[in-house]
């Protein structure tokens, strides 16, 4: 008798939990006006050994737009822009993933400096050569490079070697320097290796 009472109580708890829980459908929270409270941009996920990133708050993915300045390696990219109309669209974040072959070696600071030199030529960087720094992203070695483009546009670039990819994070500003650098820090600190 004691066992059957316990079974009935357990079954009731399971039924109540199911009734209170998720109905199996995707749901979005809404406010009193019925507008959706869904985040604007989705995290960028990656294969094993390569970092995933979450976009900075207040940004959205810009569809069908990638960094114009890509190295001569097979690549794919994601671009985030601010949702704030007060911030010009030239203030944005580029996340480019380069596929690297077995014979590509970006494991040393020197090899990353050579890569940065190639990038400098590509973008016609007018910044001083000494603005290349050893860096870390998510506890992994990286290299950062300040870049000055034409028309007042500036970037802080990060090149992060990973197992099968080279990740290039480019944080670009044109007047909204503090907003971009804060978003850049948020983007870089979101890096998680699987």
């Amino acid at each position: 008798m004691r066992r059957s009472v316990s079974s009935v109580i357990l079954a009731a708890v399971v039924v109540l939990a199911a009734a209170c829980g998720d109905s199996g459908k995707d749901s979005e929270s809404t406010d009193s006006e019925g507008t959706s409270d869904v985040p604007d941009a989705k995290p960028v996920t990656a294969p094993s050994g390569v970092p995933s990133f979450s976009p900075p708050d207040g940004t959205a993915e810009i569809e069908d737009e990638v960094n114009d300045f890509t190295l001569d390696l097979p690549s794919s990219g994601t671009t985030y822009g601010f949702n704030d109309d007060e911030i010009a669209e030239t203030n944005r974040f580029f996340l480019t993933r380069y596929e690297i072959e077995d014979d590509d070696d970006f494991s040393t600071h020197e090899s990353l400096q050579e890569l940065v030199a190639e990038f400098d030529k590509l973008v016609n960087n007018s910044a001083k050569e000494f603005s290349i720094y050893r860096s870390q992203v998510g506890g992994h070695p990286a290299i950062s490079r300040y870049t000055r483009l034409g028309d007042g546009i500036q970037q802080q670039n990060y090149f992060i070697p990973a197992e099968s990819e080279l990740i290039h994070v480019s944080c670009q500003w044109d007047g909204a320097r503090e907003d971009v650098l804060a978003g850049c820090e948020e983007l870089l600190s979101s890096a998680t290796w699987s």
Side-chain angles (χ1 to χ4, degrees):
M1 176 77 171
R2 184 175 259 168
R3 182 180 231 181
S4 63
V5 170
S6 298
S7 297
V8 170
I9 292 172
L10 179 61
V13 169
V14 169
V15 168
L16 283 173
C20 293
D22 188 42
S23 63
K25 297 180 182 175
D26 290 336
S27 62
E28 297 176 354
S29 61
T30 56
D31 61 20
S32 60
E33 296 175 5
T35 59
S36 176
D37 188 25
V38 178
D40 297 315
K42 296 180 179 112
V44 177
T45 57
S48 178
V50 177
S52 297
F53 294 87
S54 295
D57 288 340
T59 64
E61 185 174 340
I62 301 172
E63 297 289 327
D64 301 324
E65 184 171 334
V66 293
N67 194 344
D68 290 336
F69 303 113
T70 55
L71 297 165
D72 191 21
L73 294 168
S75 65
S76 63
T78 305
T79 301
Y80 299 110
F82 285 97
N83 292 333
D84 188 341
D85 291 338
E86 300 295 313
I87 299 176
E89 66 179 31
T90 50
N91 296 281
R92 58 188 55 195
F93 308 90
F94 300 102
L95 179 68
T96 307
R97 295 180 176 280
Y98 295 101
E99 298 170 25
I100 55 176
E101 302 295 327
D102 291 338
D103 57 341
D104 292 327
D105 181 16
F106 299 114
S107 62
T108 66
H109 183 71
E110 291 73 25
S111 62
L112 286 172
Q113 281 184 307
E114 289 174 17
L115 184 77
V116 168
E118 183 182 331
F119 180 74
D120 279 351
K121 287 178 190 170
L122 177 70
V123 300
N124 197 22
N125 187 4
S126 63
K128 304 267 188 227
E129 235 179 86
F130 61 81
S131 60
I132 299 173
Y133 304 99
R134 291 178 193 258
S135 187
Q136 284 199 350
V137 175
H140 291 259
I143 194 167
S144 66
R145 173 70 164 131
Y146 169 74
T147 306
R148 185 184 306 267
L149 306 174
D151 297 328
I153 295 174
Q154 300 170 65
Q155 295 178 336
Q156 188 64 45
N157 291 280
Y158 295 84
F159 297 90
I160 310 147
E163 222 169 84
S164 60
E165 294 183 357
L166 174 73
I167 294 92
H168 176 197
V169 175
S170 183
C171 304
Q172 176 178 293
W173 66 91
D174 177 18
R177 181 178 186 270
E178 281 98 35
D179 293 313
V180 170
L181 291 179
C184 194
E185 180 62 32
E186 187 179 340
L187 178 64
L188 293 169
S189 65
S190 77
T192 54
W193 267 257
S194 52

